Amino acid sequence: MDEDRLQVHLRDRLGVPDLTVTHLRRNVGGMSRETWFATVTGTGLDETLTLRADHPEGAVVPVSLEREFQTFQALHGTAVPVAEALWYSDDPAILGRAPFYVRRMVPGSASAGKLFAPGGEARRERIGVQFAELLAAVHTLDWRAAGLDAFMEVPRDAREVALLELDRWERNYRARPVEPMPAMEALLAWLRRNVPADVPRVSLVWGDVGVGNFIYEGDRIVALTDWEQAHLGDPMKDWASALWRGVDALLPRDELFAAYEKASGIRIDEERVRYYTAFIDAEYVCTSYPVLRDFSTGNTRDVTFARLGLGVPYYCLDHGLRTIGY
Amino acid sequence: MRHSLRTVVQPALEDRWARYVASAMDVMFEHLILRAAGESDLLGEDNADLRQTLGRLGATARDHADEAAWLPLAALADAAVDEDDGPDEPPDATDATAATAATEEPAGTGGTADATATVGAAGERDPATAENERLRAVLVEALAAAERLPAGPDADAVRDDLLRLVRRQLDRQVALTRPLFMSFGPTPKPSKAG
C-alpha cells in the first residue's frame, strides 16, 4: 500500500489539507482480502480508518468488493451494528491499485486471544448472550427495507435458499481446477442430495460468523465485521458457521440457542445446522483450493497463499467428511 | 533452511506481517519435510487401494450387467485396473526434484496444475504421482456414476465403499498436510489453578 498516495487521497476525500497518515499497518489474519489500518491526524481529525482492497492477485472470495461495501452501507444505522463505510473506488490511478473502499474503524478489539484470556469467563458469557441477540437482529432485519435485495439475489423457493449459494461457490471451485479431489466431489454430491426442503424464512445471512469477526469493547460487542459472504438465505447457516468457529466456547450451545430464540422468535433447526456445517466446509474449500492454481500460472508466489491453499482444504474436507458420517 | 528461519530470521522480525509470512514458511517447511519422507510410500499405498477398491466395485457392477445405470461404473473399474502405466515403488531420488519453488520457473507449466506433485527435472510428474492423479480422476467419475445408480442395497453398498475409500485417501493426504492446518476458532486458554 502506497502510503504517500493514500495520504494525498485521504486529504482530498476528507477535506483536511494537513492530514497526515501517522501509522499504516496491514491486518494479520483474514485472507479473503487485504485489510489495512491507517491512523490519521490533522485539523479536527484524529482517528483510524480501515482500508479494504483485493489482493493484487485478485479476491479469494467470489464476491465483489463493491458488494461488501454496499452491505456495510445498507446495514449502517440499522439494529445490526457495523462500521460506517465511507466511500468506494474502482479507479486504479488513485492508489495504484483498485478496487478499494474506506470505512471508519470501530474502537475495540477482535482478538480471540484477549477474549479467552484466563479469568474472563463472566465477560465471555455476557458477550456470548449479546452475540446470540445480535445474530437474532441480523436474522430478523427487514432486508427489503434495508435495500439489500437491490444487490443480493432473493431465493425463489426453499431449495434455492441453499442451491443459489452452493452454485456460486461451486462455480468458483470449478473455474480454477487444481487436481482431482474425490473428497470434495463426495461432499458436494452430499450437499446437493440433502438440500433442505423446508426453510421457514429467508433472512439476511452474515456468512462468516465467529469469534474474531466481531469487535468488542469491555464486555460489549460494538460491531460485527467480515460481511463479504453476506447473502439472503437460511439463518441456520450462520449458526453452523458460528459453531464451526467455536462460538460455544463463549457460552454453552443450549444457552446460546435459548438467547437467540427468545430474541428472534426463530426456532433453531439442528438438522439444517448440520447440513450447513458440511456446507461451510465445502465453501472454504471452494475459496481456498483454487488459489493453488495461481502458482502454476505465475499469478502469485506468496507463501501465505500456498499455506491457505493446502491447509484449509484438507482441514475442511476432513471435518466435512466426518460431518456427513465418514 | 528451517533451522535458520527459526533461529536467525524469525527472532529478528518486528513487523507483524513479516512474522506471519515467516510462520507460514515454517509450517510449509514442516509439510515439505513430511512429504520428502513419506509421500512416495503413501502414493504407493494410495494407488494400490484405489485400484483394489475400484476393481472390487467393478465386480459388483458386472453383477448388474443387464442394468444400464451400472455400466459406467463397470467401465470405470476396468479403467482403474487396466491402465497401470507406472511402478508404485518410490521414484529415483535423483529424478524427483522437489517443487519448482527452488528455481525461477516460467509461468504456465501447462495442463492441470498439481500443487502436490513431485516434479521431475523437466517439469514432468513422476509415474506414481501421475498414476495417482489418474486414479483419483477415475474415482471422481465413479462417485458421480454411483450417484446415478438406482436405489437398492447394492447401490448403497457401492456408495458406502466409495466414501470409505475417499476417507482412507484423505487420511493419507492429511498425514502430510496437518502441519498446515489453520485454526478458525478460538483456542480457549486453560484457567490457572487456585
PDB file of all heavy atoms in Angstrom, chain A residues 225-251:
ATOM      1  N   THR A 225     -18.215  -7.648  11.990  1.00  0.00           N
ATOM      2  CA  THR A 225     -17.327  -7.409  10.842  1.00  0.00           C
ATOM      3  C   THR A 225     -17.390  -8.584   9.869  1.00  0.00           C
ATOM      4  O   THR A 225     -18.146  -9.528  10.068  1.00  0.00           O
ATOM      5  CB  THR A 225     -15.876  -7.225  11.315  1.00  0.00           C
ATOM      6  OG1 THR A 225     -15.414  -8.454  11.884  1.00  0.00           O
ATOM      7  CG2 THR A 225     -15.752  -6.126  12.341  1.00  0.00           C
ATOM      8  N   ASP A 226     -16.578  -8.533   8.834  1.00  0.00           N
ATOM      9  CA  ASP A 226     -16.434  -9.626   7.856  1.00  0.00           C
ATOM     10  C   ASP A 226     -17.767  -9.972   7.203  1.00  0.00           C
ATOM     11  O   ASP A 226     -18.343 -11.042   7.433  1.00  0.00           O
ATOM     12  CB  ASP A 226     -15.796 -10.856   8.506  1.00  0.00           C
ATOM     13  CG  ASP A 226     -14.337 -10.609   8.846  1.00  0.00           C
ATOM     14  OD1 ASP A 226     -14.078  -9.861   9.820  1.00  0.00           O
ATOM     15  OD2 ASP A 226     -13.469 -11.135   8.149  1.00  0.00           O
ATOM     16  N   TRP A 227     -18.238  -9.069   6.354  1.00  0.00           N
ATOM     17  CA  TRP A 227     -19.526  -9.251   5.691  1.00  0.00           C
ATOM     18  C   TRP A 227     -19.391  -9.688   4.230  1.00  0.00           C
ATOM     19  O   TRP A 227     -20.360  -9.640   3.479  1.00  0.00           O
ATOM     20  CB  TRP A 227     -20.327  -7.946   5.763  1.00  0.00           C
ATOM     21  CG  TRP A 227     -20.841  -7.692   7.138  1.00  0.00           C
ATOM     22  CD1 TRP A 227     -20.218  -6.999   8.132  1.00  0.00           C
ATOM     23  CD2 TRP A 227     -22.067  -8.168   7.693  1.00  0.00           C
ATOM     24  NE1 TRP A 227     -21.002  -7.007   9.274  1.00  0.00           N
ATOM     25  CE2 TRP A 227     -22.135  -7.713   9.025  1.00  0.00           C
ATOM     26  CE3 TRP A 227     -23.135  -8.933   7.186  1.00  0.00           C
ATOM     27  CZ2 TRP A 227     -23.211  -7.990   9.864  1.00  0.00           C
ATOM     28  CZ3 TRP A 227     -24.214  -9.209   8.022  1.00  0.00           C
ATOM     29  CH2 TRP A 227     -24.238  -8.746   9.345  1.00  0.00           C
ATOM     30  N   GLU A 228     -18.196 -10.138   3.830  1.00  0.00           N
ATOM     31  CA  GLU A 228     -18.020 -10.437   2.407  1.00  0.00           C
ATOM     32  C   GLU A 228     -18.836 -11.634   1.939  1.00  0.00           C
ATOM     33  O   GLU A 228     -19.075 -11.782   0.747  1.00  0.00           O
ATOM     34  CB  GLU A 228     -16.538 -10.641   2.056  1.00  0.00           C
ATOM     35  CG  GLU A 228     -15.858 -11.811   2.731  1.00  0.00           C
ATOM     36  CD  GLU A 228     -15.213 -11.425   4.056  1.00  0.00           C
ATOM     37  OE1 GLU A 228     -15.589 -10.378   4.622  1.00  0.00           O
ATOM     38  OE2 GLU A 228     -14.359 -12.182   4.530  1.00  0.00           O
ATOM     39  N   GLN A 229     -19.253 -12.494   2.869  1.00  0.00           N
ATOM     40  CA  GLN A 229     -20.050 -13.648   2.453  1.00  0.00           C
ATOM     41  C   GLN A 229     -21.535 -13.462   2.736  1.00  0.00           C
ATOM     42  O   GLN A 229     -22.318 -14.415   2.657  1.00  0.00           O
ATOM     43  CB  GLN A 229     -19.526 -14.910   3.151  1.00  0.00           C
ATOM     44  CG  GLN A 229     -18.130 -15.295   2.681  1.00  0.00           C
ATOM     45  CD  GLN A 229     -17.556 -16.447   3.486  1.00  0.00           C
ATOM     46  OE1 GLN A 229     -18.299 -17.277   3.990  1.00  0.00           O
ATOM     47  NE2 GLN A 229     -16.239 -16.492   3.612  1.00  0.00           N
ATOM     48  N   ALA A 230     -21.934 -12.252   3.056  1.00  0.00           N
ATOM     49  CA  ALA A 230     -23.337 -11.998   3.377  1.00  0.00           C
ATOM     50  C   ALA A 230     -24.227 -12.256   2.167  1.00  0.00           C
ATOM     51  O   ALA A 230     -23.862 -11.976   1.024  1.00  0.00           O
ATOM     52  CB  ALA A 230     -23.507 -10.560   3.853  1.00  0.00           C
ATOM     53  N   HIS A 231     -25.404 -12.790   2.425  1.00  0.00           N
ATOM     54  CA  HIS A 231     -26.357 -13.072   1.353  1.00  0.00           C
ATOM     55  C   HIS A 231     -27.731 -13.236   1.980  1.00  0.00           C
ATOM     56  O   HIS A 231     -27.873 -13.198   3.209  1.00  0.00           O
ATOM     57  CB  HIS A 231     -25.954 -14.345   0.597  1.00  0.00           C
ATOM     58  CG  HIS A 231     -25.896 -15.571   1.453  1.00  0.00           C
ATOM     59  ND1 HIS A 231     -24.829 -15.851   2.265  1.00  0.00           N
ATOM     60  CD2 HIS A 231     -26.792 -16.580   1.647  1.00  0.00           C
ATOM     61  CE1 HIS A 231     -25.055 -16.976   2.910  1.00  0.00           C
ATOM     62  NE2 HIS A 231     -26.241 -17.438   2.565  1.00  0.00           N
ATOM     63  N   LEU A 232     -28.729 -13.441   1.163  1.00  0.00           N
ATOM     64  CA  LEU A 232     -30.079 -13.719   1.654  1.00  0.00           C
ATOM     65  C   LEU A 232     -30.255 -15.231   1.645  1.00  0.00           C
ATOM     66  O   LEU A 232     -30.120 -15.870   0.594  1.00  0.00           O
ATOM     67  CB  LEU A 232     -31.121 -13.023   0.769  1.00  0.00           C
ATOM     68  CG  LEU A 232     -31.002 -11.492   0.742  1.00  0.00           C
ATOM     69  CD1 LEU A 232     -31.994 -10.886  -0.238  1.00  0.00           C
ATOM     70  CD2 LEU A 232     -31.200 -10.919   2.147  1.00  0.00           C
ATOM     71  N   GLY A 233     -30.556 -15.789   2.806  1.00  0.00           N
ATOM     72  CA  GLY A 233     -30.623 -17.247   2.863  1.00  0.00           C
ATOM     73  C   GLY A 233     -31.167 -17.754   4.175  1.00  0.00           C
ATOM     74  O   GLY A 233     -32.025 -17.127   4.801  1.00  0.00           O
ATOM     75  N   ASP A 234     -30.641 -18.889   4.589  1.00  0.00           N
ATOM     76  CA  ASP A 234     -31.148 -19.618   5.750  1.00  0.00           C
ATOM     77  C   ASP A 234     -30.386 -19.185   7.010  1.00  0.00           C
ATOM     78  O   ASP A 234     -29.168 -19.343   7.075  1.00  0.00           O
ATOM     79  CB  ASP A 234     -30.956 -21.122   5.503  1.00  0.00           C
ATOM     80  CG  ASP A 234     -31.674 -21.986   6.520  1.00  0.00           C
ATOM     81  OD1 ASP A 234     -31.978 -21.507   7.640  1.00  0.00           O
ATOM     82  OD2 ASP A 234     -31.926 -23.172   6.212  1.00  0.00           O
ATOM     83  N   PRO A 235     -31.084 -18.679   8.018  1.00  0.00           N
ATOM     84  CA  PRO A 235     -30.378 -18.264   9.232  1.00  0.00           C
ATOM     85  C   PRO A 235     -29.616 -19.404   9.897  1.00  0.00           C
ATOM     86  O   PRO A 235     -28.635 -19.145  10.613  1.00  0.00           O
ATOM     87  CB  PRO A 235     -31.496 -17.735  10.137  1.00  0.00           C
ATOM     88  CG  PRO A 235     -32.770 -18.197   9.532  1.00  0.00           C
ATOM     89  CD  PRO A 235     -32.523 -18.389   8.084  1.00  0.00           C
ATOM     90  N   MET A 236     -30.014 -20.628   9.661  1.00  0.00           N
ATOM     91  CA  MET A 236     -29.289 -21.736  10.281  1.00  0.00           C
ATOM     92  C   MET A 236     -27.854 -21.814   9.761  1.00  0.00           C
ATOM     93  O   MET A 236     -26.974 -22.386  10.412  1.00  0.00           O
ATOM     94  CB  MET A 236     -29.997 -23.065  10.017  1.00  0.00           C
ATOM     95  CG  MET A 236     -31.370 -23.164  10.683  1.00  0.00           C
ATOM     96  SD  MET A 236     -31.339 -22.852  12.483  1.00  0.00           S
ATOM     97  CE  MET A 236     -32.152 -21.229  12.552  1.00  0.00           C
ATOM     98  N   LYS A 237     -27.601 -21.249   8.607  1.00  0.00           N
ATOM     99  CA  LYS A 237     -26.234 -21.263   8.071  1.00  0.00           C
ATOM    100  C   LYS A 237     -25.302 -20.454   8.980  1.00  0.00           C
ATOM    101  O   LYS A 237     -24.161 -20.825   9.194  1.00  0.00           O
ATOM    102  CB  LYS A 237     -26.208 -20.713   6.656  1.00  0.00           C
ATOM    103  CG  LYS A 237     -24.836 -20.817   5.982  1.00  0.00           C
ATOM    104  CD  LYS A 237     -24.931 -20.541   4.494  1.00  0.00           C
ATOM    105  CE  LYS A 237     -23.590 -20.775   3.804  1.00  0.00           C
ATOM    106  NZ  LYS A 237     -22.652 -19.663   3.988  1.00  0.00           N
ATOM    107  N   ASP A 238     -25.815 -19.357   9.515  1.00  0.00           N
ATOM    108  CA  ASP A 238     -24.976 -18.564  10.415  1.00  0.00           C
ATOM    109  C   ASP A 238     -24.677 -19.319  11.704  1.00  0.00           C
ATOM    110  O   ASP A 238     -23.590 -19.184  12.267  1.00  0.00           O
ATOM    111  CB  ASP A 238     -25.654 -17.227  10.730  1.00  0.00           C
ATOM    112  CG  ASP A 238     -25.357 -16.163   9.691  1.00  0.00           C
ATOM    113  OD1 ASP A 238     -24.424 -16.357   8.881  1.00  0.00           O
ATOM    114  OD2 ASP A 238     -26.065 -15.132   9.692  1.00  0.00           O
ATOM    115  N   TRP A 239     -25.643 -20.120  12.169  1.00  0.00           N
ATOM    116  CA  TRP A 239     -25.363 -20.903  13.372  1.00  0.00           C
ATOM    117  C   TRP A 239     -24.343 -21.991  13.077  1.00  0.00           C
ATOM    118  O   TRP A 239     -23.469 -22.287  13.892  1.00  0.00           O
ATOM    119  CB  TRP A 239     -26.641 -21.485  13.963  1.00  0.00           C
ATOM    120  CG  TRP A 239     -27.282 -20.488  14.880  1.00  0.00           C
ATOM    121  CD1 TRP A 239     -28.455 -19.819  14.683  1.00  0.00           C
ATOM    122  CD2 TRP A 239     -26.741 -19.999  16.116  1.00  0.00           C
ATOM    123  NE1 TRP A 239     -28.667 -18.947  15.725  1.00  0.00           N
ATOM    124  CE2 TRP A 239     -27.643 -19.036  16.616  1.00  0.00           C
ATOM    125  CE3 TRP A 239     -25.584 -20.278  16.846  1.00  0.00           C
ATOM    126  CZ2 TRP A 239     -27.427 -18.358  17.810  1.00  0.00           C
ATOM    127  CZ3 TRP A 239     -25.359 -19.602  18.047  1.00  0.00           C
ATOM    128  CH2 TRP A 239     -26.278 -18.650  18.513  1.00  0.00           C
ATOM    129  N   ALA A 240     -24.427 -22.559  11.895  1.00  0.00           N
ATOM    130  CA  ALA A 240     -23.426 -23.555  11.514  1.00  0.00           C
ATOM    131  C   ALA A 240     -22.042 -22.918  11.501  1.00  0.00           C
ATOM    132  O   ALA A 240     -21.077 -23.478  12.017  1.00  0.00           O
ATOM    133  CB  ALA A 240     -23.765 -24.140  10.147  1.00  0.00           C
ATOM    134  N   SER A 241     -21.958 -21.724  10.935  1.00  0.00           N
ATOM    135  CA  SER A 241     -20.672 -21.034  10.876  1.00  0.00           C
ATOM    136  C   SER A 241     -20.170 -20.689  12.273  1.00  0.00           C
ATOM    137  O   SER A 241     -19.006 -20.892  12.611  1.00  0.00           O
ATOM    138  CB  SER A 241     -20.810 -19.762  10.034  1.00  0.00           C
ATOM    139  OG  SER A 241     -19.602 -19.021  10.028  1.00  0.00           O
ATOM    140  N   ALA A 242     -21.071 -20.178  13.076  1.00  0.00           N
ATOM    141  CA  ALA A 242     -20.696 -19.760  14.426  1.00  0.00           C
ATOM    142  C   ALA A 242     -20.168 -20.945  15.245  1.00  0.00           C
ATOM    143  O   ALA A 242     -19.144 -20.837  15.925  1.00  0.00           O
ATOM    144  CB  ALA A 242     -21.902 -19.137  15.131  1.00  0.00           C
ATOM    145  N   LEU A 243     -20.858 -22.070  15.156  1.00  0.00           N
ATOM    146  CA  LEU A 243     -20.435 -23.239  15.937  1.00  0.00           C
ATOM    147  C   LEU A 243     -19.180 -23.853  15.341  1.00  0.00           C
ATOM    148  O   LEU A 243     -18.307 -24.332  16.066  1.00  0.00           O
ATOM    149  CB  LEU A 243     -21.572 -24.261  15.979  1.00  0.00           C
ATOM    150  CG  LEU A 243     -22.804 -23.778  16.757  1.00  0.00           C
ATOM    151  CD1 LEU A 243     -24.001 -24.683  16.500  1.00  0.00           C
ATOM    152  CD2 LEU A 243     -22.500 -23.691  18.248  1.00  0.00           C
ATOM    153  N   TRP A 244     -19.087 -23.833  14.033  1.00  0.00           N
ATOM    154  CA  TRP A 244     -17.885 -24.335  13.339  1.00  0.00           C
ATOM    155  C   TRP A 244     -16.657 -23.590  13.835  1.00  0.00           C
ATOM    156  O   TRP A 244     -15.582 -24.145  13.975  1.00  0.00           O
ATOM    157  CB  TRP A 244     -18.094 -24.125  11.834  1.00  0.00           C
ATOM    158  CG  TRP A 244     -17.232 -24.870  10.886  1.00  0.00           C
ATOM    159  CD1 TRP A 244     -17.564 -25.996  10.184  1.00  0.00           C
ATOM    160  CD2 TRP A 244     -15.910 -24.515  10.456  1.00  0.00           C
ATOM    161  NE1 TRP A 244     -16.522 -26.368   9.371  1.00  0.00           N
ATOM    162  CE2 TRP A 244     -15.499 -25.486   9.506  1.00  0.00           C
ATOM    163  CE3 TRP A 244     -15.024 -23.495  10.778  1.00  0.00           C
ATOM    164  CZ2 TRP A 244     -14.261 -25.458   8.882  1.00  0.00           C
ATOM    165  CZ3 TRP A 244     -13.774 -23.460  10.160  1.00  0.00           C
ATOM    166  CH2 TRP A 244     -13.408 -24.440   9.221  1.00  0.00           C
ATOM    167  N   ARG A 245     -16.857 -22.308  14.112  1.00  0.00           N
ATOM    168  CA  ARG A 245     -15.748 -21.479  14.563  1.00  0.00           C
ATOM    169  C   ARG A 245     -15.699 -21.327  16.080  1.00  0.00           C
ATOM    170  O   ARG A 245     -15.057 -20.436  16.590  1.00  0.00           O
ATOM    171  CB  ARG A 245     -15.836 -20.115  13.880  1.00  0.00           C
ATOM    172  CG  ARG A 245     -15.607 -20.220  12.373  1.00  0.00           C
ATOM    173  CD  ARG A 245     -15.599 -18.889  11.711  1.00  0.00           C
ATOM    174  NE  ARG A 245     -14.497 -18.073  12.202  1.00  0.00           N
ATOM    175  CZ  ARG A 245     -13.807 -17.208  11.484  1.00  0.00           C
ATOM    176  NH1 ARG A 245     -14.103 -17.064  10.216  1.00  0.00           N
ATOM    177  NH2 ARG A 245     -12.855 -16.484  12.006  1.00  0.00           N
ATOM    178  N   GLY A 246     -16.402 -22.212  16.774  1.00  0.00           N
ATOM    179  CA  GLY A 246     -16.192 -22.329  18.213  1.00  0.00           C
ATOM    180  C   GLY A 246     -16.860 -21.288  19.079  1.00  0.00           C
ATOM    181  O   GLY A 246     -16.390 -21.014  20.186  1.00  0.00           O
ATOM    182  N   VAL A 247     -17.993 -20.710  18.632  1.00  0.00           N
ATOM    183  CA  VAL A 247     -18.618 -19.671  19.436  1.00  0.00           C
ATOM    184  C   VAL A 247     -19.172 -20.254  20.735  1.00  0.00           C
ATOM    185  O   VAL A 247     -19.381 -19.521  21.715  1.00  0.00           O
ATOM    186  CB  VAL A 247     -19.698 -18.934  18.609  1.00  0.00           C
ATOM    187  CG1 VAL A 247     -20.977 -19.758  18.524  1.00  0.00           C
ATOM    188  CG2 VAL A 247     -19.986 -17.574  19.183  1.00  0.00           C
ATOM    189  N   ASP A 248     -19.378 -21.581  20.758  1.00  0.00           N
ATOM    190  CA  ASP A 248     -19.856 -22.180  22.008  1.00  0.00           C
ATOM    191  C   ASP A 248     -18.767 -22.272  23.062  1.00  0.00           C
ATOM    192  O   ASP A 248     -19.001 -22.814  24.145  1.00  0.00           O
ATOM    193  CB  ASP A 248     -20.505 -23.542  21.746  1.00  0.00           C
ATOM    194  CG  ASP A 248     -19.647 -24.454  20.910  1.00  0.00           C
ATOM    195  OD1 ASP A 248     -18.643 -23.981  20.340  1.00  0.00           O
ATOM    196  OD2 ASP A 248     -19.983 -25.641  20.806  1.00  0.00           O
ATOM    197  N   ALA A 249     -17.592 -21.726  22.777  1.00  0.00           N
ATOM    198  CA  ALA A 249     -16.595 -21.540  23.823  1.00  0.00           C
ATOM    199  C   ALA A 249     -16.932 -20.304  24.661  1.00  0.00           C
ATOM    200  O   ALA A 249     -16.402 -20.125  25.768  1.00  0.00           O
ATOM    201  CB  ALA A 249     -15.200 -21.392  23.212  1.00  0.00           C
ATOM    202  N   LEU A 250     -17.811 -19.440  24.152  1.00  0.00           N
ATOM    203  CA  LEU A 250     -18.251 -18.270  24.922  1.00  0.00           C
ATOM    204  C   LEU A 250     -19.309 -18.684  25.942  1.00  0.00           C
ATOM    205  O   LEU A 250     -19.307 -18.236  27.091  1.00  0.00           O
ATOM    206  CB  LEU A 250     -18.874 -17.222  23.987  1.00  0.00           C
ATOM    207  CG  LEU A 250     -17.945 -16.491  23.014  1.00  0.00           C
ATOM    208  CD1 LEU A 250     -18.779 -15.690  22.017  1.00  0.00           C
ATOM    209  CD2 LEU A 250     -16.990 -15.577  23.751  1.00  0.00           C
ATOM    210  N   LEU A 251     -20.239 -19.497  25.459  1.00  0.00           N
ATOM    211  CA  LEU A 251     -21.419 -19.849  26.255  1.00  0.00           C
ATOM    212  C   LEU A 251     -21.869 -21.207  25.732  1.00  0.00           C
ATOM    213  O   LEU A 251     -21.778 -21.469  24.539  1.00  0.00           O
ATOM    214  CB  LEU A 251     -22.513 -18.797  25.988  1.00  0.00           C
ATOM    215  CG  LEU A 251     -23.711 -18.691  26.911  1.00  0.00           C
ATOM    216  CD1 LEU A 251     -23.276 -18.264  28.311  1.00  0.00           C
ATOM    217  CD2 LEU A 251     -24.691 -17.671  26.340  1.00  0.00           C
TER     218      LEU A 251
END
